[in-house]
Each structure stands twice: as C-alpha cells, then as structure tokens.
Amino acid sequence: MKKQFKNWLILVMLGIAIITGSGIMRGVKADKIDAKAAYMIDAGTGQVLYQQNANSKYPIASLTKILTIAVIMKDIHNQKLSWDQKIKVNKDVSDMANNWQYSNVQLNEGESYTVKSLVESMMIVSADGSTEALALADAGSVKAFNEKMKEVAQAVPIDRILLETDSPYLA
C-alpha cells in the first residue's frame, strides 16, 4: 500500500511539474527533460515511465562511483580483493581510459595497476577507465558488477560498509 501511494505521489508531482514548469522538476517539458539523458522507472513494477537517450554512452556519475567503491571495499573486507592486488588492463578499458570524454587518467593496455591506485584515480580525478577496470577485475563483467552494486545498495547502508572496512582512506 505504501509503495502504491509513493508511486502515485511521484506521478502527481511529476504531472504538476510538467504542467506548471516549476517545482522540484525544473526544466521538465512535456516531451523532454533538460538533461543529456534520463531514465525513470516505476520502483514497484519496473515499468519504464520515461527515457531520453537511455542507450547513449556518457561518463558515469558520482553515485555509480560511490557504489563501486562500496562493492570493492566490501570485497576487500571479505578478502576477495586486496589493496595491493594488481589488475591488468585490457584493450577496452585502455580505450575508455585514454578517451578524454570519459577519463582523466591514462591506463595502458597490458599494464597492471593496484586496486588502491585505481580506486584513488576513480574517486579523486573521475577516471571512468579505472572504474571499469575495477568492475571487471571484481566481477568479470560490467553486467555482473552492476548486479553486485544493486545487492550492496539494497542490503546495507553504504556508510556502514565504509566504516566496517579496513580502508587506507579511513585510517
């Protein structure tokens, strides 16, 4: 019942924002949101309510990086990864890392980088290539890593994961 009410309330607020052109959804027009891309789904049913450039490739957002670090730190805590573990970069990761639109840190194909250095570059200078290298090393594919991010996001508050993990950033 609460989910239905919440979904109904969100739709009402969206409708009001579209009609008035103001409120919490500034920039919303009847046919387009003022953003490069947007994707809205019904949390209860999974039905896509709105999408704009949903299949276009853009740099990842900070929330994705926070979830990435949460998964990596959880797996370090569970000894599936270590801060000093070396990760070898493949061609696809290198191509992304060396594209200025997605990354500010160069990663060379065939070279290895520590988990710690990839995490630092991902969080400090927004290196999407480092993020992808970590995801592939941790889960084997981006799709599998996305599933791990969903599990972490739903299971435990991220601040708890960060505080319970032996991290060089919290020392």
Side-chain angles (χ1 to χ4, degrees), residues 5-151:
F5 178 75
K6 182 179 173 184
N7 290 340
W8 178 82
L9 184 60
I10 289 170
L11 287 174
V12 168
M13 290 171 50
L14 179 61
I16 291 169
I18 289 170
I19 292 168
T20 65
S22 63
I24 63 168
M25 299 287 292
R26 289 186 203 273
V28 173
K29 299 177 185 165
D31 60 344
K32 186 171 171 82
I33 291 178
D34 186 18
K36 287 182 182 179
Y39 198 78
M40 184 188 329
I41 62 169
D42 181 305
T45 66
Q47 177 186 359
V48 176
L49 302 174
Y50 178 84
Q51 61 181 328
Q52 174 179 306
N53 296 328
N55 295 317
S56 298
K57 189 174 182 180
Y58 294 105
I60 62 173
S62 294
L63 180 58
T64 302
K65 292 174 189 171
I66 291 168
L67 281 170
T68 299
I69 187 93
V71 170
I72 297 300
M73 290 178 76
K74 180 180 177 196
D75 286 348
I76 287 170
H77 180 74
N78 293 331
Q79 299 179 346
K80 293 178 182 176
L81 291 173
S82 72
W83 288 110
D84 296 324
Q85 181 177 332
K86 297 272 187 165
I87 296 174
K88 189 173 184 178
V89 170
N90 67 28
K91 182 182 181 340
D92 291 337
V93 170
S94 177
D95 288 347
M96 176 186 286
N98 297 322
N99 181 333
W100 65 270
Q101 293 177 308
Y102 302 109
S103 192
N104 297 320
V105 175
Q106 181 177 345
L107 300 175
N108 298 314
E109 179 182 359
E111 289 189 25
S112 295
Y113 304 87
T114 64
V115 168
K116 182 179 178 184
S117 67
L118 291 170
V119 166
E120 287 174 345
S121 64
M122 173 187 73
M123 295 304 290
I124 297 169
V125 291
S126 296
D128 289 3
S130 297
T131 307
E132 186 168 350
L134 288 163
L136 293 174
D138 186 80
S141 72
V142 172
K143 183 177 180 178
F145 193 79
N146 286 342
E147 291 302 317
K148 290 181 83 166
M149 285 196 301
K150 287 179 190 176
E151 290 173 19

